[in-house]
Amino acid sequence: MVKKKNQTVKQPLTNDVDAFFGKNKSFAATEAYKLLRTNIQFSFSTETKCPVIGVTSSLRGEGKSTTSINLAIALAETGKRVLLIDADMRLPSVAEKLNLELTPGLSNLLVEQLGMKQKFSNVETLDILTAGNPPPNPSELLGGQRMESFLNEQKQNYAYIVMDLPPVTSVSDTLTVSRVLDGLLLVIRGDYASKKALNETLRQMKLANVHIIGFVYTFAGGRGKGYYSKYGKYGKYGKYGKDYGYGEKAGKTNANSEKVSASK
Ligand SMILES: Nc1ncnc2c1ncn2[C@@H]1O[C@H](COP(=O)(O)OP(=O)(O)OP(=O)(O)O)[C@@H](O)[C@H]1O
Ligand SMILES: [Mg+2]
């Protein structure tokens, strides 16, 4: 192929799956997720058989899915059986991030169709249920009786269930599913989270009587160039309305910083 003057040649993409979730994950990130795992392990008494852990944030793009996936992997690496569920049925991303099939998944299963669990690379003890076909009524499905009985069934087979949830201030899904959670992790993106949105989230969680197990602070490294340009003015999330009412202008970010910390 002849390269035209000034034409930029596309570099081959690095294997994102490995870089973010697999063998090429940075040492700092790996250690941070192990620390998160330890904190989670200490958060539940031995009487809680198979805690169901929800992962959410106030706003979109704070790192919920990345945190959910890495937490599920870290837990499964101890040899315990773990189920990761992509419960963000409106804008699912687990399938895409891990190169899995989006369907059939959770939504199919909740409308009494087939929902198939999938495996991720060589973490033998991790099963993943992707989001499935986008349903018209995710909130009703998540808050419904079938979701509750599905989780109760699965608790017999796993040591932990991790649920990647939508953000709290945009849709009611997380609130409706909160009663079946044993604990909730709140992801806060250092260079972007809004105090107002966070306060609103905490208020809603308190009203719903949710047990917040801790906070995961992402993008702790500060600023740089990258990812969030895609979220500028929430364009990507137009289907939720103009914005969530709490958003502030997205800051610049450093998508390469992978510092994650968990606090109780
Ligand atoms: N701790 C972190 N450090 C740096 N980058 C991160 C971190 N966590 C996530 N990211 C990056 O931030 C971006 C958003 O992450 P992710 O998709 O996990 O967010 P989300 O909250 O699930 O978004 P959405 O609301 O769209 O579901 C991704 O590009 C991801 O690679
Ligand atoms: Mg997500």
Coordinates of all heavy atoms in Angstrom, one line a residue, residues 58-60 167-171 192-201 204 233-234 237-249:
S58 N -22.2 7.8 40.3 CA -23.2 8.8 40.2 C -23.5 9.0 38.7 O -24.6 9.2 38.3 CB -22.8 10.1 40.8 OG -22.3 9.9 42.1
L59 N -22.4 9.2 38.0 CA -22.5 9.6 36.6 C -22.0 8.5 35.6 O -21.4 7.5 36.1 CB -21.7 10.8 36.3 CG -22.0 12.0 37.2 CD1 -21.0 13.1 37.1 CD2 -23.4 12.6 36.9
R60 N -22.2 8.7 34.4 CA -21.7 7.7 33.4 C -20.2 7.8 33.3 O -19.6 8.9 33.5 CB -22.3 8.1 32.0 CG -23.7 7.5 31.8 CD -23.6 6.1 31.2 NE -24.9 5.4 31.3 CZ -25.0 4.1 31.5 NH1 -24.0 3.4 31.5 NH2 -26.2 3.6 31.6
P167 N -25.5 4.0 36.3 CA -25.3 5.1 37.3 C -26.6 5.5 37.9 O -27.6 5.5 37.3 CB -24.7 6.2 36.4 CG -25.1 6.0 35.0 CD -25.4 4.5 34.9
V168 N -26.4 6.0 39.2 CA -27.6 6.2 40.0 C -28.4 7.4 39.5 O -29.6 7.4 39.6 CB -27.2 6.4 41.5 CG1 -28.3 6.8 42.3 CG2 -26.6 5.1 42.0
T169 N -27.7 8.5 39.1 CA -28.5 9.7 38.9 C -29.1 9.8 37.5 O -29.8 10.7 37.1 CB -27.6 11.0 39.1 OG1 -26.5 10.9 38.2 CG2 -27.1 11.1 40.5
S170 N -28.9 8.7 36.7 CA -29.5 8.8 35.3 C -30.8 8.0 35.2 O -31.7 8.4 34.6 CB -28.5 8.4 34.3 OG -28.0 7.1 34.6
V171 N -30.8 6.8 35.8 CA -32.0 6.0 35.7 C -32.2 5.3 37.0 O -31.4 5.2 37.9 CB -31.8 4.9 34.6 CG1 -31.9 5.5 33.2 CG2 -30.4 4.2 34.7
Y192 N -13.5 14.0 37.6 CA -14.8 14.2 36.9 C -16.0 14.2 37.8 O -17.0 14.9 37.6 CB -14.9 13.1 35.8 CG -16.2 13.0 35.1 CD1 -16.7 14.0 34.3 CD2 -17.0 11.9 35.3 CE1 -17.9 13.9 33.7 CE2 -18.2 11.8 34.7 CZ -18.7 12.8 33.9 OH -19.9 12.7 33.2
A193 N -16.0 13.4 38.9 CA -17.1 13.2 39.7 C -17.6 14.6 40.2 O -16.8 15.5 40.5 CB -16.8 12.3 40.9
S194 N -18.9 14.7 40.3 CA -19.5 16.0 40.7 C -20.0 15.8 42.2 O -20.6 14.8 42.5 CB -20.6 16.4 39.8 OG -21.7 16.8 40.5
K195 N -19.7 16.8 43.0 CA -20.0 16.7 44.4 C -21.5 16.6 44.5 O -22.1 15.9 45.3 CB -19.5 17.9 45.1 CG -19.3 17.8 46.6 CD -18.5 19.0 47.1 CE -18.6 19.1 48.5 NZ -18.0 20.3 49.0
K196 N -22.2 17.4 43.7 CA -23.7 17.5 43.7 C -24.3 16.1 43.4 O -25.2 15.7 44.1 CB -24.1 18.6 42.7 CG -25.5 19.0 42.9 CD -25.8 20.2 41.9 CE -27.3 20.5 41.9 NZ -27.6 21.4 40.8
A197 N -23.7 15.5 42.3 CA -24.2 14.2 41.9 C -24.0 13.2 43.0 O -24.8 12.3 43.2 CB -23.6 13.8 40.6
L198 N -22.8 13.3 43.6 CA -22.4 12.3 44.6 C -23.4 12.4 45.8 O -23.8 11.4 46.4 CB -21.0 12.5 45.0 CG -20.4 11.4 45.9 CD1 -20.5 10.0 45.3 CD2 -18.9 11.8 46.2
N199 N -23.6 13.6 46.2 CA -24.5 13.9 47.3 C -25.9 13.3 47.0 O -26.5 12.7 47.9 CB -24.7 15.4 47.6 CG -23.5 15.8 48.5 OD1 -22.9 15.0 49.2 ND2 -23.2 17.1 48.4
E200 N -26.4 13.5 45.8 CA -27.7 13.0 45.4 C -27.7 11.5 45.4 O -28.6 10.9 45.9 CB -28.0 13.6 44.0 CG -29.3 13.0 43.4 CD -30.5 13.3 44.2 OE1 -30.5 14.2 45.1 OE2 -31.6 12.7 44.0
T201 N -26.6 10.9 45.0 CA -26.5 9.5 44.9 C -26.6 8.9 46.4 O -27.3 8.0 46.7 CB -25.1 9.0 44.3 OG1 -25.1 9.5 43.0 CG2 -24.9 7.5 44.3
Q204 N -30.0 9.1 47.7 CA -30.9 8.1 47.2 C -30.6 6.7 47.8 O -31.5 5.9 48.1 CB -30.8 8.0 45.7 CG -31.3 9.2 45.0 CD -31.6 9.0 43.5 OE1 -31.9 7.9 43.1 NE2 -31.4 10.0 42.7
K233 N -20.2 16.7 26.8 CA -21.6 17.1 26.9 C -22.6 15.9 26.8 O -23.7 16.1 26.4 CB -22.0 18.1 25.7 CG -21.2 19.3 25.7 CD -22.0 20.5 26.1 CE -21.1 21.7 26.2 NZ -21.7 22.8 27.0
Y234 N -22.1 14.8 27.2 CA -22.9 13.6 27.3 C -23.6 13.1 26.0 O -24.6 12.5 26.0 CB -24.0 13.8 28.4 CG -23.5 14.1 29.7 CD1 -23.4 15.5 30.1 CD2 -23.0 13.2 30.5 CE1 -22.9 15.8 31.3 CE2 -22.4 13.5 31.7 CZ -22.4 14.9 32.1 OH -21.9 15.2 33.3
Y237 N -24.9 9.8 25.5 CA -26.0 9.3 26.4 C -27.3 10.1 26.2 O -28.1 10.2 27.1 CB -25.5 9.3 27.8 CG -24.4 8.4 28.0 CD1 -23.1 8.9 28.4 CD2 -24.5 7.1 27.8 CE1 -22.1 8.1 28.5 CE2 -23.5 6.2 27.9 CZ -22.2 6.7 28.2 OH -21.2 5.9 28.3
G238 N -27.4 10.6 25.0 CA -28.6 11.5 24.7 C -29.9 10.8 25.0 O -30.8 11.4 25.3
K239 N -29.8 9.4 24.9 CA -31.1 8.8 25.1 C -31.7 8.8 26.5 O -32.8 8.5 26.7 CB -31.0 7.3 24.6 CG -30.3 6.4 25.4 CD -30.1 5.1 24.6 CE -30.3 3.9 25.5 NZ -30.0 2.7 24.7
Y240 N -30.8 9.3 27.4 CA -31.4 9.5 28.8 C -31.9 10.9 29.0 O -32.4 11.2 30.0 CB -30.3 9.3 29.8 CG -29.8 7.9 29.9 CD1 -28.5 7.5 29.8 CD2 -30.8 6.9 30.1 CE1 -28.2 6.2 29.9 CE2 -30.4 5.6 30.2 CZ -29.1 5.2 30.1 OH -28.7 3.9 30.3
G241 N -31.9 11.6 27.9 CA -32.4 13.0 28.1 C -31.2 13.9 27.9 O -30.1 13.5 27.5
K242 N -31.4 15.2 28.1 CA -30.4 16.1 27.8 C -29.1 15.9 28.6 O -28.0 15.7 28.1 CB -30.9 17.5 28.1 CG -30.3 18.6 27.3 CD -31.1 19.8 27.2 CE -30.3 21.1 27.2 NZ -30.5 21.9 28.3
D243 N -29.2 15.8 29.9 CA -28.1 15.2 30.7 C -28.8 14.8 31.9 O -30.0 14.7 32.0 CB -26.9 16.1 30.9 CG -27.1 17.3 31.8 OD1 -28.1 17.2 32.6 OD2 -26.3 18.2 31.8
Y244 N -28.0 14.5 32.9 CA -28.7 13.9 34.1 C -29.0 15.0 35.2 O -29.4 14.7 36.3 CB -27.7 12.9 34.8 CG -27.2 11.9 33.8 CD1 -25.8 11.7 33.7 CD2 -28.1 11.3 32.9 CE1 -25.4 10.8 32.7 CE2 -27.6 10.4 32.0 CZ -26.2 10.2 31.9 OH -25.7 9.4 30.9
G245 N -28.8 16.2 34.8 CA -29.1 17.2 35.7 C -28.0 17.6 36.7 O -28.1 18.5 37.4
Y246 N -27.0 16.7 36.7 CA -25.9 16.9 37.7 C -24.6 17.1 37.0 O -23.6 17.4 37.7 CB -25.8 15.8 38.7 CG -27.1 15.5 39.3 CD1 -27.9 14.5 38.9 CD2 -27.6 16.4 40.3 CE1 -29.2 14.3 39.5 CE2 -28.8 16.2 40.9 CZ -29.6 15.1 40.5 OH -30.8 14.9 41.1
G247 N -24.6 16.9 35.8 CA -23.3 16.8 35.1 C -22.6 18.2 35.0 O -23.3 19.2 35.0
E248 N -21.3 18.1 35.1 CA -20.6 19.3 34.8 C -19.7 19.0 33.6 O -19.6 17.9 33.3 CB -19.7 19.7 36.0 CG -20.5 20.5 37.0 CD -20.1 20.3 38.4 OE1 -19.0 19.9 38.7 OE2 -21.0 20.6 39.3
K249 N -19.1 20.0 33.1 CA -18.3 19.7 31.9 C -17.2 18.7 32.2 O -16.5 18.8 33.2 CB -17.6 21.0 31.5 CG -17.5 21.2 30.0 CD -17.0 22.6 29.7 CE -16.6 22.7 28.3 NZ -15.9 23.9 28.1

